[in-house]
């Protein structure tokens, strides 16, 4: 999977199409990602120790990784990601600008 935690992505399909956000969780087994403040769903929550007041809460839902695209902030456009070996280490590159993508950790 070429998308990592902390990457800025643009949603390319679904109800939030065209919106950008930062990834805060990646599940490599199911190929799903969670994007901050996007793909919000409402859930009914019973009162518990963590959520003293129950009710309807909004939280982020998972998105399939095929429905998001890395967002190149320098260009202001989404781009595909490739790999290249530079100085004997494998790095991610932007296919659109051919520049190295720094890890956003």
């Amino acid at each position: 999977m070429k998308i990592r935690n902390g990457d800025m992505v643009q949603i390319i399909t679904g109800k939030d199409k065209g919106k950008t956000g930062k990834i805060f969780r990646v599940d490599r087994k199911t190929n799903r990602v969670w994007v901050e403040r996007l793909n919000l769903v409402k859930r009914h929550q019973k009162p518990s120790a963590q959520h003293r007041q129950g009710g309807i809460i909004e939280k982020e839902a998972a998105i399939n990784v095929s429905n998001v695209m890395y967002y190149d902030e320098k260009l202001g456009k989404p781009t595909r990601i490739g790999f290249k070996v530079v100085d004997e280490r494998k790095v991610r590159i932007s296919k659109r600008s051919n520049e190295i993508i720094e890890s956003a950790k």
Side-chain angles (χ1 to χ4, degrees), residues 9-103:
V9 294
Q10 182 171 0
I11 297 180
I12 57 175
T13 185
K15 67 180 182 180
D16 290 326
K17 180 179 179 176
K19 295 180 182 176
T20 60
K22 186 181 265 191
I23 290 183
F24 69 91
R25 185 174 160 198
V26 175
D27 186 358
R28 293 188 186 283
K29 282 186 180 177
T30 60
N31 286 334
R32 296 207 165 259
V33 295
W34 284 259
V35 183
E36 289 178 357
R37 298 180 305 280
L38 292 178
N39 197 30
L40 294 174
V41 293
K42 294 187 179 194
R43 293 287 178 246
H44 291 75
Q45 185 74 38
K46 286 175 70 173
S48 65
Q50 294 168 333
H51 302 282
R52 294 216 183 269
Q53 183 163 354
I56 301 171
I57 62 168
E58 276 193 337
K59 65 179 191 175
E60 294 94 353
I63 306 172
N64 195 296
V65 74
S66 67
N67 296 332
V68 298
M69 205 170 188
Y70 182 82
Y71 186 75
D72 196 343
E73 295 181 67
K74 294 176 186 171
L75 297 176
K77 295 179 180 179
T79 182
R80 291 179 295 154
I81 295 177
F83 290 101
K84 185 191 272 187
V85 177
V86 177
D87 298 328
E88 297 180 5
R89 70 185 179 110
K90 189 175 173 183
V91 294
R92 297 186 303 163
I93 62 163
S94 166
K95 291 277 193 163
R96 194 180 287 255
S97 65
N98 213 15
E99 291 184 12
I100 294 175
I101 298 171
E102 299 298 327
S103 292

